[in-house]
Amino acid sequence: MDFLFDSIISAILLAVSLDTELLSIVAVSLKVSSSSTLFAGMIGVPLGFFIAFESFKGKQLVITCLNTLLALPTVVIGLFVYALISRRGIFGPFDLLYSQKAIIIGQTMLIIPVVTIFTIAAISRIDERYRKTAMTLGANRLQAACIVMREARFGIVAAVIAAFGRVISEVGISMMLGGNAKGFTRTMTTAMALEYDKGEFTLAIALGFILLFLSFGMNLLFNFFQGRTET
Amino acid sequence: MLYLISRLTKVYGSRTVLDIESLEIMEKKIYALLGPNGSGKTTFLKILGFLDLPTSGNVQYCTRPVRFLESQLQPLRKEVVMVNQHPILFTTTVYRNLEFGLRIRKISKKKCAYIIDEALDMVGMRHFSQAPAHRLSGGETQRVALARALALSPQVILCDEPTSSVDPENQGAIINLLRQINDEKQISLIFTTHNQSQASMLAHHTLFLDHGKLGTTSYDNLFAAVASRKDENSSLCKIQNTVELVVPGDRDGEIRLMIDPEKIDILETRKKDHGENCFRGNIVQITKEGGKIRIGVDSEIYFIIRMPADDYTRRKPMVGDNMAFRIPRKSIKLLS
């Protein structure tokens, strides 16, 4: 028990002293996670909007596939992207493996289904009469779609926040595609795994606290936007 | 001519919800569309508002044949605005709600402000201009929705049961407003309602829809009944398990019937009731509708009798009087 207590005290001191290694790890984590969330949002929001708004053959099948992808383990995506960007892969010449870009690609693939499914849910919750009202006021299909999007904005923001929460805490993709290179591709989760292997718990626990703090912040934001959606 | 409709049908699955042989709707007039729930009123309104497609038939709008293709309908929607029974206001301010349609029509901000102020003034909601629209009451929402339609200066405003979801105070305000819109702005109005009095009070023309078909009779005296065969030419109908009525035709089972209020004969009160379909009841309501007098009689069930004004002057029936009347077979129409 003393060991855990001492580790926690040391971790808090480390975090408060703004240790440069700790800050560098947090900065890399935030950078790759923010980038992947941005790209996933750029792809997932319009995709989710299209699926929710349009009627087409196989729509339910597409939604089922996306739901299945939500449960995809990060190591599977790590393996898949590794096969594509390793030297022998079709994107091998771009030399992406063990770079932040590789992590961003993998994480983007991980959360596109999350953003898409949450966007579909947010759009589907919007009363059909919003679209009809926009149309009777003279809006074309695109303008009516923008009105629906606007009404679903809080739900869509919540989708993006949920996706960020997923990537900031994942370890498989960052480890397999980033390689955990210090100061370069070392994220909070990969650093924690490494410190654990080394038997050094202080940094791991400090990072754990920061991760928990970020998750708490994300959840607060998520609940705020979900609350706005319900009102 | 605003609309010219011929052989219009709308079918959902195997159910025909609308089947209109022909109809002409004139410009700058108010039309009331009466009918029971599920009679196709809202579907018809959506087709007139170019928000739904008919299964077959022809519609001419302002003498132009309508091709129900999205590319062709969108410009037409700029001339026809529909206001729902429970209108949706966008989750922004009242002002921005009114601005939406105007901006689509590429009207300058300055002109928008003038038009919006004028429209909100007309519905008495100008002081709500910057209020969040989704927090308004039902009556206020209905008035803002009308202002939003009005601001676009359309040729036609279609209102789906404009007073059904508001309190009596707002009902009066909305009825006056609809009349004002038609009088002052010369905008054609087509509205659906269940309320015969409201239709008669407000509309220049009343249309009755039943099971998707246009009827010539009014919405009054519409009853569900259980019929049993009496003889080859007639059946005995029991309305609400109390009133028995002999109707023409050989029917059995559940039916719906309508009694033309203008064809009900008023009998001398002192005369003893005799003969087929004679009833007695207390007069509970007398109102003037156009050139006719509408009398509500409580005779176990509620009957409406409509009589010419001169006949009324001669007989002078009063509220509370006991009245005897006979429902001739020719006044009864079996609907299904």
Side-chain angles (χ1 to χ4, degrees):
Chain A
M1 202 59 197
D2 282 349
F3 159 73
L4 182 66
F5 185 72
D6 290 343
S7 295
I8 290 171
I9 296 291
S10 308
I12 290 170
L13 289 174
L14 192 69
V16 171
S17 69
L18 301 175
D19 177 73
T20 47
E21 189 186 351
L22 181 100
L23 287 182
S24 147
I25 293 167
V26 172
V28 170
S29 274
L30 288 176
K31 186 183 168 191
V32 293
S33 299
S34 303
S35 305
S36 56
T37 305
L38 181 72
F39 291 128
M42 284 163 64
I43 299 166
V45 171
L47 183 64
F49 191 81
F50 175 81
I51 294 169
F53 209 68
E54 294 293 329
S55 300
F56 56 90
K57 244 183 178 177
K59 178 173 171 170
Q60 203 47 52
L61 182 70
V62 171
I63 293 172
T64 307
C65 290
L66 285 166
N67 274 318
T68 309
L69 290 174
L70 286 180
L72 202 65
T74 52
V75 284
V76 175
I77 293 176
L79 271 175
F80 177 69
V81 178
Y82 182 90
L84 292 175
I85 63 173
S86 67
R87 302 241 170 216
R88 285 176 295 168
I90 51 170
F91 298 114
F94 294 106
D95 202 20
L96 292 168
L97 192 60
Y98 302 133
S99 68
Q100 290 183 4
K101 284 177 190 163
I103 303 176
I104 291 168
I105 292 168
Q107 288 187 341
T108 302
M109 290 179 73
L110 175 73
I111 56 170
I112 282 175
V114 177
V115 178
T116 309
I117 283 291
F118 274 66
T119 302
I120 292 171
I123 300 286
S124 306
R125 269 204 296 269
I126 301 301
D127 195 322
E128 166 68 8
R129 286 177 298 161
Y130 279 100
R131 192 172 69 91
K132 292 271 184 195
T133 301
M135 283 168 74
T136 197
L137 294 173
N140 58 28
R141 278 172 67 83
L142 183 68
Q143 288 161 331
C146 288
I147 277 290
V148 175
M149 179 90 99
R150 194 182 172 284
E151 293 301 325
R153 61 195 181 278
F154 297 121
I156 293 169
V157 171
V160 174
I161 292 169
F164 182 79
R166 176 90 169 98
V167 285
I168 194 83
S169 58
E170 73 78 30
V171 63
I173 291 169
S174 305
M175 190 70 90
M176 291 170 79
L177 303 176
N180 201 15
K182 187 177 178 182
F184 184 53
T185 57
R186 183 164 295 172
T187 64
M188 287 191 281
T189 50
T190 56
M192 282 164 77
L194 179 72
E195 297 301 308
Y196 163 78
D197 283 345
K198 283 160 46 183
E200 295 284 341
F201 291 97
T202 308
L203 182 60
I205 290 175
L207 286 168
F209 275 128
I210 292 168
L211 201 54
L212 266 176
F213 179 75
L214 280 173
S215 291
F216 181 69
M218 288 295 113
N219 271 302
L220 276 182
L221 264 179
F222 186 81
N223 286 335
F224 170 75
F225 284 110
Q226 284 287 34
R228 292 294 294 265
T229 311
E230 276 150 27
T231 55
Chain B
M1 183 82 61
L2 191 64
Y3 290 97
L4 179 62
I5 290 157
S6 59
R7 292 186 295 279
L8 185 84
T9 67
K10 178 72 184 176
V11 180
Y12 289 117
S14 59
R15 194 169 150 243
T16 303
V17 292
L18 210 56
D19 185 4
I20 294 173
E21 190 52 37
S22 71
L23 177 67
E24 291 176 6
I25 294 176
M26 310 302 290
E27 273 176 305
K28 297 171 186 172
K29 297 283 179 197
I30 303 179
Y31 283 77
L33 198 54
L34 281 161
N37 287 333
S39 58
K41 300 189 298 289
T42 305
T43 305
F44 186 41
L45 225 53
K46 281 182 182 169
I47 292 173
L48 293 180
F50 311 112
L51 293 167
D52 205 350
L53 315 179
T55 307
S56 64
N58 299 310
V59 177
Q60 276 188 31
Y61 173 74
C62 293
T63 69
R64 287 167 286 165
V66 177
R67 293 182 68 205
F68 281 88
L69 301 169
E70 184 55 35
S71 57
Q72 308 257 325
L73 293 180
Q74 201 241 331
L76 290 176
R77 281 191 211 114
K78 290 188 175 170
E79 296 179 28
V80 183
V81 180
M82 183 165 168
V83 179
N84 280 315
Q85 184 179 0
H86 302 285
I88 284 282
L89 297 182
F90 307 133
T91 49
T92 178
T93 60
V94 167
Y95 186 92
R96 292 238 178 260
N97 265 275
L98 268 74
E99 197 185 31
F100 177 76
L102 295 168
R103 300 296 289 167
I104 283 173
R105 285 159 180 78
K106 298 190 172 23
I107 292 170
S108 70
K109 278 208 160 188
K110 199 175 166 189
K111 201 170 174 195
C112 276
Y114 174 76
I115 293 170
I116 292 167
D117 285 348
E118 191 191 33
L120 286 175
D121 255 345
M122 196 162 179
V123 301
M125 294 289 289
R126 191 165 175 180
H127 51 295
F128 282 91
S129 176
Q130 293 307 320
H134 54 287
R135 299 212 193 280
L136 300 178
S137 71
E140 289 164 350
T141 300
Q142 191 69 253
R143 279 151 69 187
V144 170
L146 276 171
R148 188 171 59 181
L150 190 62
L152 304 175
S153 301
Q155 287 259 1
V156 193
I157 295 180
L158 307 167
C159 295
D160 192 10
E161 302 195 22
T163 58
S164 69
S165 59
V166 297
D167 56 46
E169 189 189 335
N170 273 301
Q171 276 183 18
I174 287 163
I175 288 170
N176 287 334
L177 186 60
L178 291 174
R179 193 179 283 133
Q180 198 185 350
I181 289 171
N182 178 253
D183 281 349
E184 290 179 13
K185 304 277 176 185
Q186 296 289 296
I187 294 173
S188 309
L189 277 172
I190 304 171
F191 70 99
T192 64
T193 180
H194 291 285
N195 189 332
Q196 169 77 48
S197 306
Q198 195 180 81
S200 311
M201 234 173 3
L202 191 59
H204 300 114
H205 303 279
T206 302
L207 306 169
F208 174 69
L209 263 182
D210 185 57
H211 283 81
K213 287 181 190 285
L214 274 180
T216 48
T217 48
S218 77
Y219 184 41
D220 288 325
N221 299 336
L222 177 68
F223 302 110
V226 179
S228 56
R229 187 174 181 271
K230 192 174 176 227
D231 55 46
E232 277 181 8
N233 301 318
S234 61
S235 308
L236 191 65
C237 278
K238 215 163 190 183
I239 303 170
Q240 291 172 15
N241 240 355
T242 50
V243 172
E244 285 189 342
L245 198 67
V246 179
V247 300
D250 176 8
R251 292 295 186 103
D252 248 324
E254 288 183 4
I255 61 162
R256 289 169 74 240
L257 60 89
M258 188 179 267
I259 301 162
D260 187 343
E262 291 185 19
K263 289 183 181 163
I264 296 177
D265 300 328
I266 296 169
L267 306 173
E268 289 304 321
T269 328
R270 286 178 191 172
K271 234 183 202 175
K272 194 186 168 196
D273 301 352
H274 60 83
E276 189 179 276
N277 295 346
C278 284
F279 301 95
R280 205 171 250 289
N282 290 326
I283 298 175
V284 290
Q285 189 192 31
I286 299 176
T287 48
K288 190 167 183 279
E289 281 180 9
K292 297 277 171 73
I293 305 297
R294 186 173 188 265
I295 301 174
V297 184
D298 182 9
S299 171
E300 292 189 272
I301 58 173
Y302 191 74
F303 287 106
I304 295 293
I305 299 169
R306 204 174 290 133
M307 56 162 55
D310 53 348
D311 195 15
Y312 171 78
T313 315
R314 190 169 53 79
R315 289 177 186 269
K316 288 196 174 61
M318 308 272 281
V319 171
D321 283 358
N322 193 264
M323 175 187 265
F325 56 96
R326 189 169 59 83
I327 300 172
R329 286 193 194 190
K330 65 177 184 201
S331 70
I332 303 168
K333 190 180 173 193
L334 302 180
L335 297 174
S336 53

